[in-house]
Amino acid sequence: MGIMYTLIKSYLENRHQRVKFNNKLSKWDKINIGVPQGSILGPLFFLIYVNDLPSVIPYTVSNKNSSIVLFADDMNVIISEPYIMNFERKLNIVFQIMKEWFDSNLLSLNFDKTYYMQIITKNKFLNKINIEHDNKMILQTNFVKYLGITVANTLSWKQHFDTIIPKLNKACYIIRSKLYLSNDALKMVYYAFFFTQ
């Protein structure tokens, strides 16, 4: 099979984990699926694992106005469709295909982080549509946070600014009070509040 196969196999096989809760440890249990949490290679293996998902959704292949964006364990399906009935139909088809793909690959959708959003102009009202996954309704949202940026359904920056300005104000206050902080501490403030935003 080769050295690389043997190396990856040894990395993924015979893994065990346990949970600590209220200062009590559970018994060790064998992990049969998945990648080691918190590992450097975990996100890469996950991306390799889900890499074929965009190819199973027909609108990403046949429609130049649609795409899937994968980043680590985040996925965004973007459908550009001016007609609301077609948008609803396409999105429901995509979720049905994704359900089948998730089931066959032993994965599940995190409903706490799953929304759909209609991009609209400021003077247009949202249309009420029903999007389902696994017989559950997907909630509509007016904004979503993606890679540190809050994207509003009107493509306005207001929500993003309202989220980030208080954090940056705190960092500015701490940096202005630099009399009490070393350069290393100031760098930590910079990376915690500015760099990551």
Side-chain angles (χ1 to χ4, degrees), residues 146-197:
Y146 185 66
L147 300 179
I149 297 174
T150 305
V151 181
N153 64 346
T154 59
L155 299 181
S156 162
W157 287 100
K158 183 183 181 332
Q159 186 70 36
H160 181 67
F161 292 153
D162 289 348
T163 303
I164 202 168
I165 286 174
K167 294 177 184 177
L168 296 178
N169 282 338
K170 287 179 190 175
C172 287
Y173 175 78
I174 293 169
I175 289 173
R176 282 190 206 114
S177 305
K178 64 184 177 185
L179 298 172
Y180 306 108
L181 296 175
S182 67
N183 284 342
D184 288 337
L186 288 172
K187 285 180 188 175
M188 286 176 41
V189 169
Y190 167 76
Y191 283 109
F193 288 97
F194 287 98
F195 191 76
T196 59
Q197 302 303 317

Side-chain angles (χ1 to χ4, degrees), residues 77 79 86-95 116 131:
V77 178
I79 297 176
N86 289 341
F87 175 72
E88 181 178 16
R89 184 179 57 79
K90 286 180 180 181
L91 205 47
N92 276 307
I93 290 170
V94 164
F95 271 105
Y116 76 91
I131 307 299

Side-chain angles (χ1 to χ4, degrees), residues 18-158:
R18 64 181 177 176
V19 176
K20 183 177 182 179
F21 182 72
N22 286 338
N23 287 329
K24 293 182 181 176
L25 290 171
S26 68
K27 66 179 180 79
W28 286 100
D29 202 8
K30 188 171 183 178
I31 302 171
N32 295 318
I33 57 174
V35 296
Q37 295 296 305
S39 67
I40 293 172
L41 292 176
L44 175 64
F45 284 143
F46 185 78
L47 278 176
I48 292 169
Y49 189 67
V50 300
N51 196 41
D52 68 321
L53 178 57
S55 67
V56 301
I57 298 180
Y59 297 104
T60 63
V61 177
S62 64
N63 184 345
K64 294 178 183 170
N65 295 327
S66 301
S67 63
I68 288 186
V69 179
L70 296 173
F71 183 81
D73 63 348
D74 283 340
M75 179 180 72
N76 288 277
V77 178
I78 301 167
I79 297 176
S80 176
E81 176 58 61
Y83 302 105
I84 195 65
M85 296 293 281
N86 289 341
F87 175 72
E88 181 178 16
R89 184 179 57 79
K90 286 180 180 181
L91 205 47
N92 276 307
I93 290 170
V94 164
F95 271 105
Q96 179 57 39
I97 292 168
M98 285 190 336
K99 181 199 176 326
E100 293 167 9
W101 187 91
F102 278 110
D103 289 347
S104 67
N105 286 280
L106 304 175
L107 293 173
S108 61
L109 192 64
N110 184 345
F111 275 92
D112 293 334
K113 295 183 176 181
T114 303
Y115 307 97
Y116 76 91
M117 183 170 71
Q118 297 177 56
I119 305 295
I120 60 171
T121 58
K122 290 181 182 179
N123 57 358
K124 187 177 177 186
F125 294 104
L126 285 173
N127 294 300
K128 178 68 178 148
I129 59 176
N130 294 319
I131 307 299
E132 292 184 30
H133 177 81
D134 205 13
N135 295 320
K136 297 178 188 170
M137 296 302 292
I138 303 293
L139 298 176
Q140 183 173 4
T141 187
N142 293 330
F143 63 90
V144 66
K145 190 164 186 175
Y146 185 66
L147 300 179
I149 297 174
T150 305
V151 181
N153 64 346
T154 59
L155 299 181
S156 162
W157 287 100
K158 183 183 181 332

